[in-house]
Amino acid sequence: MNRTGFLAWPFLAGVAALVAVPALAAATLAFTEFSGVQPPRFTGLDNFSRLVADNALWRSFGNTVIYIAIAVPLRLAAAVGAALLLNRHRAASTAARPLVYLPTVVPDVAYALLWLWLLNPLYGPLAAAFGFSGTLTDPWGARVSLAVMGAFQIGEAFIVALAVRRSIPRHVYEAAAVDGAGPWFTLSRLTLPLMAPVLALLALRDVILSLQVNFVPALLLTDGGPRYATTYVPLYVYRTAFRYFRLGYASTIALTMFVITALVVYVQYRLAKRWRLAA
Amino acid sequence: MTVRLSGISKTFTGHHGPNLVLDDVTLEVPEGSMTVVVGPSGSGKTTLLRCVAGLEHPDHGAIEVGGRDVTALPPGERDVAMVFQDYALYPHLSVRDNIAFGLKARKVARDEVDLQVRRAADTVGLEPHLDRLPDRLSGGERQRVALARALVRRPVAFLLDEPLSNLDAELRARTRIEIRSLQRALETTTLYVTHDQVEALTMGDQIALLRDGRLEQVGDAMEVYERPTNAFVARFLGTPPMNLIPSRLLGSGNGTLIGVRPERMQLVEPVDGRVSGEVVAVEPVGADVIVHVRLEAETVLVRADTRDAPRLAETVGVAFADGDVHRFSEDGSRLA
Amino acid sequence: MTEGRAVRSFAIIFMGAVFLTPLIFMILGSLRAPGLPPPDGFEVIPRGLTWDNYNTVFAFVPLGTYLMNSLIVATVAVPVTVVVASWAGFAIATATSAARRWLVGLCLVTLMIPLSALWVPRFVMFRWLGLLDTMWPLIAPALMATTPFYVLLFALAYARIPPTLFEAARLEGLSPLEIWRRVAWPLAVPAAFAVAVLAFAWHWANFIDPLLYISSAEKLTVPVGLRALQTLEPTNHPILLAASVMVTAPPVVAFLAAQRAFFARTVGV
């Protein structure tokens, strides 16, 4: 049936035009000075030496790592926990499943504005309920708040985890029950190991997603503050490119992101592969 | 260590309303013996087995394993081991870890686990494959892993759910014998479920026939084959199935069914006064042929030697000895 | 046993409630009268309930124009996304195993690329093509099925159809496009429905593309338009929440309408 291959061409053309061409453009512009007004001017490795010395960039990179360290485990745990809790055929599960997905379909901007209200020290319900004040004016308060916010928008990971959990044959669990395995033994020796390859993939995707999901809240809630605590890489790129119009240098950062992403993907891929062999 | 089921009933509620799958089933598997539960698909035999395992809970009735009432116990506390039809191997664990799983779950000491796993693997000939994952095993090897996983636990009872149905014919015949001799050697009480009457007749110390959730007959192979309690049992066991001929076609009164097995019938000259009819089909089955003889609206099957096979459309007579006749009433129950 | 069930039921209800809470606060907050002093402690139902915020917001921002622009983008982008994703998914499901591995690999790699790395080069590209400050950069992602995730969803749905069905249709003399149109598509309508809803939610929420590529106020879509309200004083936040509710409602309603098909298609429950 490989005669159907041509039906993939529109998609492939789209990927070429919107991903491959821009990636090549970034790789070229990375070696230029380009403000958008004059044509790009080749400057060799100048941008790269600037990048190495750019403390603000490395700070935003460190902020991103902090965000990943808090948000990814939180999001993954929430998604897997919800999937395991809601996988059974029961009326309550059926009703709760769409609710878990619901925050994910809330537009990012509306969601960010909602949290702007929730976290407001004077009017916000959270402040009133838990006595928070100045969450967003404290660097760590802001960092944690943004990560917690993200832990509600886990719909896709939840769906994937749910699908994986449901793909484990029922008989395997029945065999374990007859074998005398308790709930904890079943979870740690059966369910989680069987889900692990996909969970690794989800974690990887979430790490990469973290390079962009926090852009909207960082822009709208904290504007990168306080004291640059929530200036993440995407926000930094945005400011460099569209506030200061250093399009050449922004491309250098983008290219670096490509390279780092490729490295992360490669390392995780190797780990996942080795892990699978060991299992 | 008997397994005793008394008055087991179970109803499933599906989209089409309640469905009684087990109806007051009472059955005893004597200590150290093998009872085969056989029946057509949908007869409730797997549900019966799952009730013993604790994977289903009967609505009524009690289950005893080794003199202990286990009706309310979870599966892990019943001290039974089960072999699933699809084997239900843990896909991420090696053969070794699959076999060890139940022992580890019970926190058996590591040295002891190693020893028992090796012993069980040895029994079923899996030693060379201990470090493989299930997806690298053949169907027969997987089946052995499932068996070893049951053996290693040294349970009070084995429960086997159609363990041979996913094997090819040759392997099935071989494994049938292996399971049986293994069971004899271990003397572990075993409940074995199958839809295959040959398996049932060859393996069971005791055979229990289940239809629509009701036990139709329980007995050894000889009993159920030679003295079926009703027309269903008579036709279910044996290939081709027993002929059931309305008595008026044989000129022996009205209102009863005359049952004669095809291999107990003979083809004879069609002389007057004898039951005779036209040959409508001749099926070769190796040394024998199955001859289909039309008697009015009925077709009678006769097993004959291939060398004596009649031609199609020939008129033949059929004969049988009185001692080979089973009589059933029209509703199917045995008369005398 | 029954105790475990009770604990589990409670956990399920709690889980559902936790994920519903943000939306409830959004709605309740939008009903609060603006200009009031801060509440004294935690109040669930605000004092002075009012629907006025839903009118007032139009005085702050031209929400009607933004809604219209968003609707235009979604109307073009969603069908294009569904067709492109469906074709590519069908090609994957019926490809030889080598081609399938290559296409799925491409989808996964594309999913892994951080979009923020593409902002600048895309901006340069759109500028060079003279497409800045038009709707096209907003619709463009539909050409690559919006996200390869949707392609994979279709591929999964089509992979569940027995391949002999496609082979039978081929023997009947149907062209690949006809096989897609008459056999594959009708058998996976729920998947298309699910992808359409997700794509709608994606395009409706798309904030970054209009932020980067649209400069005229009258061409903005809802998410960027909404951003202007961010500068409101906290006492006027209820107005901002009213706007948020209006922007959130379409994708939420679409999702709830489609959730059965969505869960059935993606996880088979």
Side-chain angles (χ1 to χ4, degrees):
Chain A
M1 282 296 283
N2 38 9
R3 295 190 316 142
T4 52
F6 73 92
L7 289 173
W9 283 114
F11 170 68
L12 293 175
V15 171
L18 291 160
V19 180
V21 169
L24 284 177
T28 313
L29 290 171
F31 299 94
T32 66
E33 191 182 306
F34 183 36
S35 65
V37 185
Q38 274 124 13
R41 190 169 61 84
F42 182 75
T43 55
L45 293 174
D46 282 7
N47 285 339
F48 288 90
S49 42
R50 188 207 290 191
L51 181 140
V52 172
D54 187 349
N55 286 330
L57 173 66
W58 295 115
R59 189 174 47 207
S60 64
F61 187 72
N63 286 332
T64 300
V65 171
I66 291 172
Y67 179 84
I68 288 172
I70 306 174
V72 172
L74 202 59
R75 287 164 55 87
L76 216 54
V80 173
L84 294 184
L85 189 61
L86 302 181
N87 92 82
R88 290 194 197 173
H89 272 291
R90 285 183 41 192
S93 299
T94 312
R97 268 180 227 130
L99 296 186
V100 172
Y101 203 98
L102 216 46
T104 311
V105 292
V106 176
D108 289 344
V109 175
Y111 191 67
L113 294 179
L114 165 66
W115 282 84
L116 192 64
W117 151 256
L118 287 178
L119 294 170
N120 185 282
L122 279 180
Y123 289 83
L126 280 184
F130 301 109
F132 290 161
S133 58
T135 336
L136 292 180
T137 51
D138 171 70
W140 279 102
R143 283 173 174 144
V144 173
S145 298
L146 260 55
V148 168
M149 250 183 90
F152 286 85
Q153 294 187 307
I154 50 161
E156 282 175 18
F158 166 65
I159 287 287
V160 173
L162 195 57
V164 174
R165 170 59 187 81
R166 297 191 69 83
S167 72
I168 304 175
R170 194 176 48 120
H171 277 173
V172 169
Y173 282 97
E174 294 182 343
V178 176
D179 266 347
W184 175 245
F185 194 85
T186 307
L187 179 71
S188 61
R189 301 294 182 92
L190 214 56
T191 308
L192 291 181
L194 281 170
M195 292 175 77
V198 179
L199 294 188
L201 208 66
L202 276 180
L204 173 60
R205 182 174 143 68
D206 225 40
V207 165
I208 288 157
L209 221 55
S210 300
L211 289 172
Q212 65 199 55
V213 286
N214 50 32
F215 174 71
V216 175
L219 184 72
L220 264 57
L221 256 67
T222 56
D223 197 23
R227 280 173 276 140
Y228 297 103
T230 59
T231 302
Y232 302 112
V233 174
L235 187 60
Y236 190 78
V237 170
Y238 171 74
R239 283 184 180 158
T240 307
F242 302 103
R243 197 172 290 175
Y244 307 119
F245 294 103
R246 294 182 190 141
L247 295 177
Y249 183 49
S251 299
T252 314
I253 302 173
L255 185 64
T256 313
M257 282 166 73
F258 276 128
V259 173
I260 292 177
T261 308
L263 279 177
V264 172
V265 170
Y266 180 72
V267 168
Q268 288 230 16
Y269 172 76
R270 291 306 298 258
L271 284 179
K273 210 170 183 185
R274 188 194 294 176
W275 188 92
R276 246 189 201 180
L277 285 179
Chain B
M1 295 298 176
T2 54
V3 171
R4 193 175 287 125
L5 295 93
S6 23
I8 301 294
S9 297
K10 173 79 184 167
T11 301
F12 283 124
T13 309
H15 292 294
H16 308 290
N19 179 19
L20 184 64
V21 284
L22 289 176
D23 185 4
D24 193 21
V25 173
T26 296
L27 178 66
E28 181 172 325
V29 186
E31 169 156 11
S33 75
M34 177 143 162
T35 291
V36 178
V37 177
V38 63
S41 56
S43 59
K45 53 194 191 300
T46 294
T47 306
L48 187 70
L49 197 70
R50 291 168 59 85
C51 283
V52 180
L55 298 170
E56 303 286 354
H57 293 277
D59 303 331
H60 303 286
I63 298 163
E64 249 179 57
V65 174
R68 197 163 57 114
D69 185 346
V70 298
T71 317
L73 291 182
E77 291 173 28
R78 297 188 172 200
D79 207 5
V80 297
M82 181 157 168
V83 173
F84 289 80
Q85 184 174 7
D86 61 2
Y87 315 139
L89 302 185
Y90 308 120
H92 61 305
L93 297 180
S94 65
V95 170
R96 184 194 308 278
D97 291 335
N98 256 284
I99 301 174
F101 191 89
L103 298 179
K104 286 183 180 166
R106 285 155 209 275
K107 300 198 167 62
V108 174
R110 182 181 291 199
D111 296 352
E112 181 68 11
V113 171
D114 283 347
L115 184 72
Q116 297 298 342
V117 167
R118 238 174 300 123
R119 196 173 286 172
D122 192 37
T123 311
V124 297
L126 274 175
E127 286 250 316
H129 306 311
L130 275 178
D131 292 313
R132 289 209 198 159
L133 287 176
D135 60 4
R136 293 295 173 87
L137 299 176
S138 70
E141 287 161 351
R142 281 181 215 183
Q143 206 266 354
R144 280 155 196 278
V145 178
L147 275 181
R149 206 167 62 180
L151 292 181
V152 79
R153 296 248 322 272
R154 296 159 178 245
V156 166
F158 287 136
L159 308 173
L160 291 86
D161 185 11
E162 308 232 11
L164 306 182
S165 62
N166 287 332
L167 302 180
D168 64 43
E170 192 207 334
L171 198 55
R172 197 181 313 160
R174 194 146 41 101
T175 315
R176 205 161 68 198
I177 296 164
E178 284 175 8
I179 290 181
R180 188 66 241 246
S181 50
L182 198 60
Q183 190 273 332
R184 284 221 169 93
L186 294 168
E187 293 187 325
T188 305
T189 311
T190 301
L191 193 56
Y192 186 111
V193 158
T194 181
H195 67 276
D196 181 344
Q197 44 107 8
V198 178
E199 247 169 77
L201 290 172
T202 53
M203 295 180 81
D205 293 313
Q206 177 177 260
I207 294 157
L209 281 107
L210 201 62
R211 178 173 62 154
D212 296 340
R214 299 187 68 94
L215 275 184
E216 298 283 339
Q217 188 173 1
V218 181
D220 64 26
M222 190 74 111
E223 259 175 85
V224 292
Y225 193 75
E226 294 298 345
R227 249 192 103 68
T229 52
N230 57 40
F232 167 77
V233 176
R235 292 206 31 106
F236 190 80
L237 299 173
T239 29
M242 183 187 281
N243 293 301
L244 290 179
I245 312 155
S247 52
R248 69 184 164 77
L249 295 185
L250 302 175
S252 63
N254 251 334
T256 59
L257 292 168
I258 305 293
V260 186
R261 296 204 177 272
E263 62 269 28
R264 300 285 165 84
M265 282 197 158
Q266 290 91 39
L267 294 176
V268 292
E269 287 298 314
V271 287
D272 265 359
R274 266 195 182 150
V275 180
S276 52
E278 186 193 345
V279 174
V280 292
V282 180
E283 291 178 281
V285 288
D288 294 334
V289 286
I290 308 298
V291 181
H292 296 236
V293 181
R294 172 76 83 205
L295 289 185
E296 292 184 24
E298 303 286 321
T299 302
V300 172
L301 274 55
V302 181
R303 186 185 278 270
D305 193 290
T306 301
R307 286 163 298 188
D308 305 335
R311 284 189 311 276
L312 270 182
E314 198 178 324
T315 302
V316 295
V318 291
F320 45 85
D322 276 352
D324 291 329
V325 167
H326 307 260
R327 286 181 181 277
F328 301 100
S329 68
E330 267 184 339
D331 67 1
S333 55
R334 187 178 189 92
L335 302 168
Chain C
M1 199 83 165
T2 46
E3 201 174 296
R5 266 179 88 92
V7 170
R8 204 179 166 91
S9 299
F10 176 78
I12 288 171
I13 292 165
F14 181 75
M15 174 80 69
V18 164
F19 280 89
L20 194 58
T21 309
L23 280 179
I24 289 176
F25 274 121
M26 188 190 274
I27 294 166
L28 287 177
S30 74
L31 301 177
R32 195 171 193 276
L36 291 180
D40 185 16
F42 184 64
E43 56 166 44
V44 178
I45 308 292
R47 274 169 302 151
L49 279 180
T50 169
W51 291 99
D52 287 353
N53 299 327
Y54 287 83
N55 287 324
T56 320
V57 67
F58 287 91
F60 283 86
V61 284
L63 206 55
T65 310
Y66 299 156
L67 285 168
M68 190 48 95
N69 291 338
S70 281
L71 208 60
I72 291 170
V73 170
T75 312
V76 182
V78 172
V80 173
T81 297
V82 170
V83 171
V84 171
S86 174
W87 280 353
F90 182 59
I92 288 176
T94 55
T96 60
S97 62
R100 180 182 310 146
R101 213 171 305 138
W102 190 85
L103 284 169
V104 170
L106 180 81
C107 286
L108 292 177
V109 166
T110 310
L111 272 176
M112 293 299 177
I113 291 174
L115 284 177
S116 46
L118 294 170
W119 294 346
V120 177
R122 276 188 187 173
F123 176 83
V124 174
M125 186 177 79
F126 288 133
R127 210 173 75 127
W128 184 70
L129 293 171
L131 294 177
L132 285 186
D133 209 24
T134 70
M135 289 296 171
W136 298 112
L138 309 190
I139 293 165
L143 295 178
M144 55 171 285
T146 300
T147 141
F149 181 59
Y150 303 157
V151 174
L152 295 175
L153 275 183
F154 268 113
L156 281 177
Y158 290 140
R160 285 187 201 175
I161 301 173
T164 45
L165 236 61
F166 302 139
E167 284 158 9
R170 198 178 163 193
L171 287 177
E172 304 266 357
L174 266 65
S175 71
L177 200 60
E178 283 171 324
I179 297 176
W180 170 78
R181 172 73 193 83
R182 304 230 204 136
V183 183
W185 173 266
L187 288 173
V189 165
F193 193 37
V195 168
V197 168
L198 289 179
F200 171 71
W202 192 97
H203 284 279
W204 186 262
N206 187 1
F207 170 73
I208 288 160
D209 289 330
L211 179 73
L212 302 185
Y213 311 131
I214 302 283
S215 44
S216 317
E218 75 275 8
K219 289 179 187 161
L220 285 179
T221 51
V222 162
V224 182
L226 206 56
R227 185 193 173 203
L229 294 172
Q230 172 210 6
T231 51
L232 285 179
E233 288 295 310
T235 174
N236 284 327
H237 274 185
I239 296 171
L240 169 163
L241 290 173
S244 298
V245 169
M246 281 191 276
V247 173
T248 302
V252 164
V253 169
F255 171 74
L256 290 180
Q259 57 98 358
R260 244 170 210 290
F262 179 66
F263 281 97
R265 270 306 126 173
T266 47
V267 290
V269 289

